[in-house]
């Protein structure tokens, strides 16, 4: 509806329209509608290129989402290029450290999946360093960051530490009443994955 209003007011090719398209694409990606998500992302990307607004916080978010969509569907090399571009853009804007953490977690996972172990460990180290300032914060976004950290740690085989991060995150979600929404469910899914990797199938 918002984008239709942009079209009707002759603003369909503005950076504001690109932001709306990107967010619709993200919502579609979250629902598993990959084709629709990709169409929205690419339309947003074309607008940002045409308006020279890629090197912005919104551009970094768009590249992160474009990259992760490709990672989810097996295009790891394409995913890594876009995620690294997102990180480059984010590093040159006022993008928050916490949001950069989310990009770094994805970069690390994709590098690991590509067999680039040393690069993945370097990205993981940067991720952990940035997350350090948020570990004592009991609010939603840092808790989500802890779940990402747990999943990356589990992929590196550090299952005990990964489990500790999910326990901390789940405690925060419980304290702020977020256990029953999708981020809480994702936390428990990661916790189940960790238990399975530890061989504790009953807990999983």
């Amino acid at each position: 509806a918002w984008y239709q209003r942009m079209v009707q007011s002759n603003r369909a090719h503005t950076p504001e329209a690109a932001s709306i398209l990107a967010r619709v694409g993200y919502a579609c990606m979250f629902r598993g509608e990959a084709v629709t998500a990709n169409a929205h992302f690419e339309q947003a990307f074309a607008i940002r290129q045409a308006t020279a607004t890629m090197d912005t916080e919104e551009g970094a978010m768009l590249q992160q989402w474009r990259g992760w969509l490709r990672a989810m569907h097996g295009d790891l090399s394409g995913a890594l290029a876009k995620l690294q571009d997102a990180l480059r853009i984010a590093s040159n804007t006022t993008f928050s450290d916490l949001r950069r953490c989310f990009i770094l977690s994805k970069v690390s996972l994709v590098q690991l999946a590509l067999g680039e172990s040393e690069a993945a460990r370097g990205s993981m180290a940067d991720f952990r360093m940035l997350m350090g300032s948020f570990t004592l914060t009991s609010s939603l976004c840092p808790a989500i960051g802890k779940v990402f950290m747990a999943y990356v740690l589990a992929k590196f085989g550090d299952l005990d530490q990964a489990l500790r991060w999910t326990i901390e995150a789940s405690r925060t979600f419980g304290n702020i009443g977020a256990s029953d929404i999708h981020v809480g469910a994702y936390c428990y899914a990661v916790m189940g994955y960790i238990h399975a990797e530890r061989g504790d199938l009953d807990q999983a």
Side-chain angles (χ1 to χ4, degrees), residues 21-89:
L21 286 164
R23 281 163 174 75
V24 173
Y26 178 75
C28 291
M29 179 173 67
F30 193 82
R31 293 201 303 262
E33 300 171 8
V35 173
T36 306
N38 186 63
H40 282 89
F41 286 155
E42 294 311 307
Q43 191 176 353
F45 180 66
I47 292 171
R48 290 216 169 272
Q49 282 193 310
T51 56
T53 55
M54 273 306 300
D55 286 346
T56 60
E57 290 186 44
E58 291 284 334
M61 288 174 61
L62 175 59
Q63 286 297 75
Q64 177 184 191
W65 294 339
R66 290 177 76 220
W68 195 237
L69 181 64
R70 278 157 180 74
M72 290 167 61
H73 292 274
D75 180 10
L76 297 178
S77 296
L80 183 58
K82 289 170 178 58
L83 289 168
Q84 287 177 327
D85 192 41
L87 191 59
R88 175 192 63 80
I89 297 169

Side-chain angles (χ1 to χ4, degrees), residues 95-108:
F95 217 68
S96 72
D97 284 348
L98 186 59
R99 290 160 79 189
R100 283 174 59 205
C101 283
F102 295 149
I103 301 175
L104 279 164
S105 69
K106 295 177 176 71
V107 169
S108 182

Side-chain angles (χ1 to χ4, degrees), residues 149-196:
M149 174 69 81
Y151 185 66
V152 176
L153 285 167
K155 284 294 184 180
F156 276 99
D158 193 346
L159 299 176
D160 291 341
Q161 192 168 0
L163 186 59
R164 285 196 292 273
W165 281 93
T166 56
I167 291 170
E168 283 188 26
S170 65
R171 187 178 298 122
T172 298
F173 290 139
N175 289 340
I176 64 176
S179 295
D180 295 331
I181 63 175
H182 67 273
V183 290
Y186 178 64
C187 179
Y188 286 117
V190 171
M191 192 180 293
Y193 168 75
I194 294 166
H195 281 301

